[in-house]
Amino acid sequence: MWWGGRGQSFNITPPKEEPEMGSIQGSRMPESRSNQLGRCLASGCLPGEQILAWAPGVRKGLEPELPGTLICTNLRVTFQPCGWQRSQGTPLSSEYDFALVNIGRLEAVSGLSRVQLLRAGSLLKFIPEEILIHGRDFRLLRVGFEAGGLEPQAFQVTTTIVQATAQSSQAHQYSGITLSKAGQSSGPRKLLIPLLETSEDWEAERKKQGARGWRVSTVNDRFDIATSLPRYVLVPNRTLDSEVRRAFGHFHQGRGPRLSWHHPGGSDLLRCGGFYTASDPSKEDIRTMESMLQAGHSDVVLVDTSDELPSLTDVQLAHLRLRALCLPDSSVAEDKWLSALEGTRWLDYVRSCLRKASDISVLVTSRVRSVVLQEHGDRDLNGLLSSLVQLLLAPEARTLLGFQSLVQREWVAAGHPFLTRLWGTGANEEAPVFLLFIDCVWQLLQQFPAEFEFSEFFLLALHDSVRVPDTLTFLRDSPWERGKQSGQFNYTQVYTPGYPQPPAENSINQQLSVWDWGLRYSNEQILQFHNPGYDPEHCSDSWIPRQQSYFMVPGPPNSVWLFSRGALTPLNQLCPWRDSLSLLAVSSRWLPRPAISTESLADQEWGLPSHWGACPLPPGLLLPGYLGPQIRLWRRCYLRGRPEVQMGLTALTISGLQDELSHLQELLRKWTPRLSPEDHSKKRDPNTILSQAC
């Protein structure tokens, strides 16, 4: 969740004489201060990082207050407490680091009422007593400067931060960090998370899913079909690469239908872009496209993923409103805060995504069929819904390794435009869809705490990682761009047991991956990624047989459906180039709409005609609640800038949880005399008591 260098031995040593650090040229300081700063810098700079300004200060807002040094470099702003040393084992992170591109708002404070909002080109009007650094990830760093002859340094470091932030506002100028620059060996490394950059990775993924009717196609090996797609895709066995090439050309940006996930019961979940109706496919091409969409099934459901879900503009506006509301100095009165939260629409969008994912999960499990997620660009909502569906259906995806593999496959390898969506490099295209997905996952974790191996702290780390420019994972829009940036399209092999070792020279320029947690987090922090309440029995390899399960029966022969507005509508054809236009080729606003039911698809007997009969709830399926208070605000993430709200949310370790439990038990003892004898005689759930006490 933080960027910078935690633990690396850096090659920058402070000069013995008074340093010239950016805007602080020739500033005099006591020898003890110089030595202290020198030790900080020697243990804290990345190769190529330059110190621009610094000033002694005290971190405020949290207890206890920490004296230390506020440092601004050409890459970040960091606060280093006195006597604190970065761990040698984790060279790339610190909770005190703010990447310059992560800084969303700067405020200078003098006295009780004098506050200046600092923007690019702003001139500081006074010597600040405090500086408030608001991160785009909802974090807050509040530093008070020491008085007594050091005011010029406070003025200099504040001005320098403003200038450095303005100059580093574009994330695309960052190229990530290679392992060699991170102080690591340039030799081969073994990762538990396949990056899906080789055909071997994809073949292993296909076998893991048990997708026998599918194969790995190399048709996009040179990115000549679609630069936004990975080099390798999963296509039906019977489809030739020449047919795949022609078929993909009739979909938006060449993103044709391909396997996203194979359900052990027999169904297949596909994703694709919208039909490119301006093309003129031959009859053979149309047959190929229909065959790929059917994927060997007689029952096909096309899901318009943009229906009922927010647009990119909606997501961006809701996130901006949420961030403004969660600022410490928000002008919203306390008694109106909840209504203002509702007005952001953020929780409404979380609710919509969970509801749609639940309905799609029912479609996948109720019958053996092909379920096709179709979005115009196939790079945003398709990834969100596909990931949520797999979390609801596959216990493997709820493990720590399984979830990381899921994100790598459905977001990173699938070409989600992280740079554009998170850093706003395109006009009106900024929208934190991935952060919306993480919030949805957090909601599932709250509703099913024993079903997930990873914890809230892992989700926080992943949430914050998107705002730090140390890996290309979130700094580029596609696998092609990452390969271009690293200087090679012959991607580095991911080393897992059983894979052959390629020549060592292939790994010289290995780029840091977001999954290299050991380089950015201490062992103690990584231990917090694990959920202590997880039940491993929920992720059994035999949770469902690989053959067709008893509860999944084939759908009616040659049936094609459009799923929209919570209902299934029959279609006459799959593709829009037959006698008449396909429904999906027409703007959704022109389609006749069935009445929107207040019940979910599962409540409506799986949304199928009554004469088909009802199906029992399959094992492993999670159906989340999404009504009213079932969707909650992620306080530990969004309210981190308001320490007073974090009371009771600070148990980061097992020992911390024990301390909180002891405190709650003490409160319970104090409340016990107030209970009536009737209350004592009733059986009470301790979990309920604790939740009420919180």
Side-chain angles (χ1 to χ4, degrees):
M1 47 178 140
W2 312 287
W3 191 85
R6 183 174 3 176
Q8 179 174 333
S9 296
F10 300 101
N11 298 323
I12 297 181
T13 56
K16 295 182 180 179
E17 300 179 358
E18 304 302 329
E20 288 187 287
M21 294 176 290
S23 60
I24 308 181
Q25 298 184 1
S27 60
R28 309 295 297 183
M29 58 182 167
E31 184 64 24
S32 59
R33 286 286 187 190
S34 178
N35 291 338
Q36 176 187 341
L37 178 61
R39 287 192 299 271
C40 289
L41 303 187
S43 65
C45 292
L46 289 167
E49 187 173 17
Q50 300 175 356
I51 306 299
L52 303 179
W54 67 275
V58 177
R59 189 204 66 180
K60 295 186 174 183
L62 297 174
E63 295 294 338
E65 295 184 347
L66 293 178
T69 305
L70 182 66
I71 304 171
C72 177
T73 76
N74 58 325
L75 300 177
R76 58 182 164 162
V77 175
T78 181
F79 180 81
Q80 299 198 3
C82 294
W84 177 76
Q85 294 291 328
R86 293 176 185 266
S87 168
Q88 294 297 316
T90 54
L92 295 172
S93 68
S94 166
E95 60 183 301
Y96 305 110
D97 290 346
F98 279 70
L100 294 177
V101 291
N102 182 38
I103 297 177
R105 177 173 171 175
L106 285 169
E107 293 177 312
V109 180
S110 179
L112 297 177
S113 59
R114 199 173 185 185
V115 179
Q116 181 181 353
L117 181 62
L118 303 175
R119 299 184 176 89
S122 296
L123 296 178
L124 192 56
K125 300 178 181 179
F126 51 82
I127 296 177
E129 296 179 6
E130 290 185 10
I131 182 173
L132 278 70
I133 303 174
H134 300 271
R136 297 178 186 271
D137 56 5
F138 293 87
R139 287 190 297 145
L140 170 67
L141 178 62
R142 178 184 170 194
V143 177
F145 298 112
E146 295 185 1
L150 297 177
E151 290 88 348
Q153 288 174 286
F155 186 92
Q156 292 278 13
V157 73
T158 303
T159 303
T160 302
I161 292 174
V162 176
Q163 297 172 349
T165 302
Q167 295 172 1
S168 302
S169 59
Q170 299 300 321
H172 63 79
Q173 65 183 323
Y174 293 94
S175 58
I177 298 175
T178 61
L179 291 180
S180 58
K181 286 186 178 181
Q184 303 299 307
S185 169
S186 60
R189 58 170 174 162
K190 292 185 178 181
L191 289 180
L192 295 175
I193 310 302
L195 301 185
L196 299 175
E197 295 173 343
T198 67
S199 59
E200 291 83 0
D201 287 346
W202 283 98
E203 180 61 23
E205 177 63 30
R206 185 194 68 80
K207 291 181 179 179
K208 184 176 69 173
Q209 294 188 17
R212 297 177 181 177
W214 299 80
R215 66 178 180 88
V216 178
S217 172
T218 60
V219 69
N220 196 42
D221 182 57
R222 297 181 179 274
F223 297 100
D224 52 348
I225 291 183
T227 57
S228 63
L229 284 176
R231 296 171 69 185
Y232 311 101
V233 293
L234 296 177
V235 299
N237 277 335
R238 297 182 179 181
T239 309
L240 302 177
D241 276 356
S242 58
E243 296 174 326
V244 173
R245 179 180 295 273
R246 293 196 305 270
F248 274 38
H250 302 294
F251 289 85
H252 182 67
Q253 295 184 353
R255 298 181 67 89
R258 59 209 184 277
L259 179 66
S260 181
W261 181 63
H262 175 76
H263 189 278
S267 291
D268 289 309
L269 182 66
L270 285 68
R271 58 184 291 183
C272 66
F275 293 116
Y276 183 48
T277 55
S279 64
D280 185 20
S282 64
K283 292 183 178 180
E284 284 189 15
D285 292 346
I286 293 177
R287 281 195 294 267
T288 299
M289 285 184 278
E290 291 178 340
S291 175
M292 295 182 70
L293 291 169
Q294 289 171 341
H297 299 282
S298 61
D299 188 16
V300 184
V301 178
L302 294 174
V303 180
D304 182 5
T305 55
S306 60
D307 183 47
E308 298 183 279
L309 294 186
S311 66
L312 296 179
T313 302
D314 293 335
V315 174
Q316 172 67 359
L317 183 59
H319 194 260
L320 290 176
R321 288 172 175 171
L322 178 66
R323 209 167 71 195
L325 179 64
C326 294
L327 287 174
D329 59 349
S330 173
S331 59
V332 178
E334 185 176 352
D335 59 340
K336 297 181 179 179
W337 200 89
L338 291 178
S339 59
L341 174 62
E342 182 180 355
T344 66
R345 301 296 307 278
W346 181 259
L347 296 184
D348 287 338
Y349 298 152
V350 171
R351 182 177 294 108
S352 299
C353 292
L354 288 176
R355 173 164 183 159
K356 186 122 187 175
S358 299
D359 288 346
I360 297 173
S361 300
V362 171
L363 291 173
V364 172
T365 54
S366 59
R367 292 292 185 271
V368 177
R369 52 156 61 106
S370 171
V371 179
V372 184
L373 305 180
Q374 188 168 39
E375 179 191 15
H376 179 69
D378 181 38
R379 302 178 70 180
D380 295 292
L381 298 177
N382 269 6
L384 184 148
L385 289 175
S386 176
S387 301
L388 288 179
V389 168
Q390 294 177 58
L391 284 172
L392 295 177
L393 292 176
E396 164 66 22
R398 302 169 206 151
T399 65
L400 188 56
L401 295 181
F403 180 74
Q404 294 174 86
S405 298
L406 173 68
V407 172
Q408 183 68 28
R409 184 176 71 253
E410 297 298 333
W411 293 87
V412 182
H416 176 68
F418 286 106
L419 181 65
T420 301
R421 296 292 181 259
L422 296 171
W423 302 102
T425 58
N428 300 322
E429 293 185 348
E430 184 176 359
V433 180
F434 184 66
L435 300 184
L436 178 64
F437 163 70
I438 295 180
D439 197 322
C440 292
V441 179
W442 180 83
Q443 303 290 339
L444 295 177
L445 181 60
Q446 302 310 299
Q447 296 190 28
F448 307 99
E451 301 283 347
F452 292 85
E453 185 184 22
F454 53 86
S455 68
E456 177 182 17
F457 301 104
F458 171 76
L459 293 179
L460 271 175
L462 184 59
H463 175 279
D464 294 348
S465 294
V466 305
R467 297 295 188 186
V468 291
D470 57 1
T471 76
L472 287 181
T473 306
F474 300 130
L475 282 177
R476 295 297 178 265
D477 283 343
S478 67
W480 177 78
E481 290 187 8
R482 294 184 191 94
K484 182 180 179 181
Q485 180 64 53
S486 63
Q488 55 180 354
F489 288 101
N490 184 18
Y491 287 97
T492 302
Q493 168 74 46
V494 178
Y495 298 101
T496 54
Y499 283 0
Q501 297 281 336
E505 60 265 23
N506 288 347
S507 59
I508 292 178
N509 292 321
Q510 282 186 327
Q511 289 285 333
L512 189 70
S513 166
V514 69
W515 315 124
D516 288 308
W517 299 113
L519 298 179
R520 298 183 292 141
Y521 293 86
S522 66
N523 291 334
E524 292 77 9
Q525 289 174 314
I526 293 177
L527 286 176
Q528 297 173 23
F529 289 176
H530 294 264
N531 175 16
Y534 172 65
D535 185 357
E537 294 183 359
H538 291 166
C539 183
S540 173
D541 292 337
S542 60
W543 67 278
I544 189 172
R546 283 293 178 188
Q547 295 77 27
Q548 182 173 315
S549 183
Y550 73 95
F551 62 83
M552 298 185 70
V553 296
N558 301 320
S559 58
V560 182
W561 306 88
L562 171 67
F563 179 71
S564 177
R565 296 277 177 152
L568 289 168
T569 304
L571 296 177
N572 294 324
Q573 59 194 41
L574 271 173
C575 299
W577 298 282
R578 291 291 189 184
D579 297 334
S580 60
L581 285 177
S582 166
L583 286 179
L584 282 183
V586 184
S587 176
S588 59
R589 62 179 176 173
W590 302 111
L591 298 177
R593 293 295 188 194
I596 301 177
S597 172
T598 58
E599 298 179 323
S600 69
L601 186 63
D603 295 331
Q604 302 171 45
E605 284 193 312
W606 303 85
L608 302 175
S610 58
H611 65 272
W612 287 7
C615 299
L617 191 68
L621 172 62
L622 305 180
L623 289 181
Y626 39 76
L627 300 177
Q630 292 176 306
I631 302 300
R632 301 159 54 190
L633 178 69
W634 190 3
R635 296 175 62 196
R636 198 190 294 273
C637 178
Y638 302 139
L639 297 179
R640 282 181 288 178
R642 306 176 70 171
E644 72 281 0
V645 184
Q646 295 294 310
M647 298 300 294
L649 299 178
T650 56
L652 305 182
T653 62
I654 296 298
S655 61
L657 289 172
Q658 291 174 342
D659 293 340
E660 282 201 6
L661 180 60
S662 299
H663 175 67
L664 292 174
Q665 289 173 339
E666 178 64 26
L667 290 177
L668 186 60
R669 282 193 293 269
K670 293 179 179 178
W671 295 340
T672 301
R674 304 176 187 175
L675 300 177
S676 65
E678 292 77 8
D679 293 327
H680 283 292
S681 62
K682 295 178 181 178
K683 281 189 175 181
R684 305 197 62 190
D685 183 2
N687 295 325
T688 303
I689 295 175
L690 291 178
S691 64
Q692 291 174 348
C694 294

